[in-house]
Amino acid sequence: MSTITTLHAGFAGHVSDALDALVAAGALPGGLNRGAVTVEPPRDPSHGDLATNAAMVLAKPAGTNPRALAEALVAELVKLPLVTEASIAGPGFINLRLAPGAWLDELRAVAALGADYGRSALGAGTTVNVEYVSANPTGPMHMGHCRGAVVGDALASLLEFAGHKVIREYYVNDAGAQVQVLGRSAHVRYREALGEDVGEIPEGLYPGDYLIPVGQALAAEFGDRYVGAPEEDWLALFRTRAVAAMMAMIRDDLALLGIRFDRFSSEAELQAAGKPDEAEAWLRARDLVYDGVLEAPKGKVVEDWEPVALPLFRSTRFGDDQDRPIRKSDGSWTYFGADLAYHFQKAESADALVDIWGADHGGTVKRIKAAVAAMTGEDGHPTPFEVKLVQMVQLLRDGEPVKMSKRAGTFVTLADVVREVGKDVVRFTMLTRKPEAQMDFDFAKVVEASKDNPVFYVQYAHARICSTLRKAAAEGFAPGDGALDALGSEELALVAQAAQFPRVVEAAAVAREPHRIAFFLHDLAAAFHAYWNLGNDRPDKRFIVAQSADLSAARLFLAAQIGQVVRNGLALLGVEAVEEM
RNA sequence: GCGCCCGUAGCUCAGUUGGAUAGAGCACGAGCCUUCUAAGCUUGGGGCCGCAGGUUCGAAUCCUGCCGGGCGCGCCA
C-alpha cells in the first residue's frame, strides 16, 4: 500500500497536529473528544478551500470561547507551508486558503495511485457481510429485485474500497412452502414433457414457461417413474432439482448486471445442520425463548384465529412490539426461526452485518435486529447490524405505468430490462436516488442520450477525456507533470472538485450510501463539461494549445487524472467507463 | 389502531450526518457550434425545507405532537 496521503486526509491530520500543539503549549486541555471536528470544503467556495469547525465544537468542553480558541489555532495553521491564509469567520469557523502546490500535489497523487486513488483504510480490514437479493428460488428475477441487487452490489464494492473485507452473500430460501409449490409445478411440467396434456397450470402453482425445461430435464433423467407415484416419492427430489435450476437461472440474471456472490447460503442446509435447534436451545437457556400464546393479529380481522401456545422469542426485550414465534404449531420452523439462526451464523464470520431488503419486509426489521442483539450481545458488544430498506421501483413506459401480473405472465423480468436498456443504464439509474425513497423507472427516459440522463452525462465526460487524449497523441502531445505550475485557477478548481473523491468514498461507506458516489460523479462531470466549454470561446483554454508544449502537457495531465477519478467512481458503481460515444 | 419510510423550486431529486446567503436537472426566458465530441456550456426568474412547539452559539438535518403520501401489521415468505 502506498504512503501517499491525499489532500483532505492530510489536512485532517494537520488540524489534529495543530490541536496537539495547543495542548502541548497549555492552551487547550488534553483528552478532549475530537470526534465532531470536521475539515471539509466550505459550502461557499469564496470562503476558502477548506474549513474546520474545530474551535466551535471544542470551545465549550475546553472552557473557553470559540473566538479565542480559533485565534490560537489559526496561529498554528498558518505555519503550514501549503496554507496561504487562515482566517476566522462567522461564529468561529476557520477558513484556509491553500497554495496551488497543494492541488498540484493532489493531481500527482491521483496519477501515482491510479485505480487506487480514493481507496481508504477506514474499514481497518474488518469484515462486513452484505446480504442482498436473496430472491426466492421460484422463478427468474424480476424488476422488483433489481434495485436491491444493484444497491447491495455497489455498497459491497464501496465497503471494499473503504478498507473492509466484504462477504457478498445470498440467502437461498429453499425450505419453505413456496419451494414445495415449485416442486409440484415442476412435476406438472415433467408429466407434460412425457406427452401428457396437462391443460392449464392449476391455480396455486407456478405457471411460468421457465419450468418447461426443468420438466424436460426431469423426464429425460427419470423417464415415467414418478408419473403416477405418490407425492412423498418425488416431492423432495423434484424440489431440489427445480431449486437448482432456478438458482442457475438467477445467477445468469445476476451476471447480466455484473453481480456475483461470494456465498450462497441455503436455508434447507441450515435447518438440516440443526442450526435453528442450537439457537433455540441457547436462547431457552437464557429465558429468551419461552412457550407462550401469540396475540391475535392487529388491524385486520382473522376469522379462524385461535390462540395457540408456541415457542416465542422475547424480541420485546430488544425493542420489538411483540414477541415472535420461532416454530409453527406443527413444530416446523417459521421463517423468522430459521432467519434468526442464519444471522447468528453470519455474525460468526463477520464484524458487522448489513441486509438489503425490499420495503415490503420493513415490518420484520425490529424482530431480526432484536435477534442479532440478543445472540451477539452477551459480552456487551453486539455485532453491528443494519437493515437497509430499498423502496419499490415503479416501471413506466412513456409516463404510463407498466402493468405487471404474475398470473397473466406479464411481469417484467430483470433480463428483459437489461437487454432493452443495458446494464450500465440500469445500474446507474438505480443509484441516482437514495434507496429509501420511492422511484420511477421510465424506459423512455433512461435510454435518452442527453444531459437529462445522468448515465450518459457522466460517461460522456469520460469519453470526451479519452477523445482528447487520443487526438493529442495523434498530434504529438503527451500528458506530463513537468510544468504543472502552468495550470491556473480554473484548472485548480477542477482538481479541487476531483479531490473530494476520497472524502466522498469514506462518507458514503460510513453511511452505507453508494448513491453518493453517483451524485459526486455527476457533479464532477458537470465541472469538467463547464471547463471544456471555456475552450469554445477561448482557444487558449483548450487542452491542446499548439503554441505551448508545456501547457498542453499539464492540461492533458489534468484531463487524464480527472478521467482516472471518473473511472474509479464508475468502477464502484459497476458501470463501464466508455472511451468513445 | 400500531410500526417503519417519505414530505425541500411548477416537476424529478441532492443536501457532506448540527454549520455560513438551502443546491442540481427538467420545464419556461435570453445567449454560445468555420470547435480538443453542442450527447455540451453560459445566464434569468422561481422556496413558509408539510405545520407547530422544543433542544443550542447555530436546525432542512436532532426531540415531541399534529397533517399528508407510501409500505407493512397471522404460525405467510
Side-chain angles (χ1 to χ4, degrees), chain A residues 102-120:
Chain A
W103 304 114
L104 301 181
D105 286 349
E106 188 71 355
L107 208 48
R108 291 188 189 95
V110 177
L113 292 168
D116 283 329
Y117 179 73
R119 190 179 283 282
S120 165

Side-chain angles (χ1 to χ4, degrees), chain A residues 148-447:
Chain A
V150 171
V151 169
D153 195 56
L155 175 60
S157 300
L158 174 63
L159 292 175
E160 259 167 7
F161 204 58
H164 291 283
K165 291 197 183 76
V166 174
I167 300 169
R168 298 162 190 251
E169 182 149 343
Y170 186 124
Y171 184 40
V172 184
N173 300 130
D174 51 1
Q178 81 287 353
V179 288
Q180 306 285 73
V181 173
L182 180 73
R184 293 188 190 104
S185 307
H187 192 259
V188 173
R189 293 300 189 182
Y190 157 75
R191 282 165 22 226
E192 184 180 52
L194 289 168
E196 187 177 326
D197 180 7
V198 297
E200 284 279 298
I201 302 297
E203 184 77 28
L205 296 187
Y206 294 108
D209 290 347
Y210 54 83
L211 285 173
I212 293 173
V214 177
Q216 287 167 344
L218 288 165
E221 184 172 358
F222 300 112
D224 60 2
R225 194 190 314 172
Y226 296 115
V227 170
E231 193 173 277
E232 57 265 30
D233 287 359
W234 51 261
L235 185 55
L237 174 65
F238 275 42
R239 187 193 66 207
T240 304
R241 295 301 167 93
V243 165
M246 295 303 99
M247 285 310 298
M249 197 165 62
I250 287 170
R251 280 178 217 239
D252 287 346
D253 287 346
L254 289 165
L256 291 174
L257 277 177
I259 295 174
R260 47 149 201 90
F261 283 87
D262 299 312
R263 194 183 285 173
F264 288 86
S265 290
S266 155
E267 181 183 3
E269 285 174 21
L270 183 92
Q271 293 195 21
K275 297 292 182 184
D277 306 84
E278 288 172 23
E280 180 183 8
W282 191 91
L283 289 165
R284 275 191 190 273
R286 287 154 183 81
D287 191 36
L288 291 170
V289 164
Y290 65 103
D291 294 307
V293 176
L294 197 61
E295 297 167 42
K298 315 220 174 8
K300 63 176 182 181
V301 182
V302 180
E303 271 138 33
D304 58 351
W305 179 260
E306 285 174 19
V308 188
L310 294 168
L312 301 181
F313 167 61
R314 289 193 195 277
S315 46
T316 47
R317 250 190 224 175
F318 303 89
D320 200 359
D321 313 306
Q322 190 181 326
D323 290 340
R324 305 291 177 177
I326 61 169
R327 286 180 191 268
K328 307 178 198 174
S329 49
D330 67 0
S332 66
W333 297 103
T334 62
Y335 182 85
F336 173 63
D339 205 26
L340 172 153
Y342 170 56
H343 278 76
F344 185 61
Q345 176 179 286
K346 284 197 291 185
E348 285 176 337
S349 60
D351 302 303
L353 305 178
V354 179
D355 284 6
I356 312 285
W357 289 0
D360 51 340
H361 292 264
T364 62
V365 171
K366 282 185 179 178
R367 75 191 64 167
I368 196 66
K369 291 191 97 160
V372 172
M375 291 189 299
T376 68
E378 235 193 356
D379 59 355
H381 300 285
T383 301
F385 171 48
E386 289 168 77
V387 180
K388 288 284 179 186
L389 294 179
V390 301
Q391 290 289 335
M392 294 303 168
V393 177
Q394 158 126 298
L395 283 180
L396 302 173
R397 198 175 279 281
D398 297 323
E400 290 296 311
V402 177
K403 291 200 170 52
M404 282 195 266
S405 155
K406 274 198 176 182
R407 280 236 62 87
T410 58
F411 65 92
V412 179
T413 66
L414 183 144
D416 287 342
V417 175
V418 173
R419 261 182 234 116
E420 180 170 341
V421 306
K423 173 192 82 149
D424 289 344
V425 165
V426 171
R427 290 191 62 120
F428 202 101
T429 304
M430 292 292 165
L431 292 165
T432 52
R433 207 144 270 126
K434 58 184 170 193
E436 63 270 28
Q438 289 117 290
M439 78 180 293
D440 292 343
F441 185 95
D442 192 317
F443 284 94
K445 282 192 183 157
V446 297
V447 294

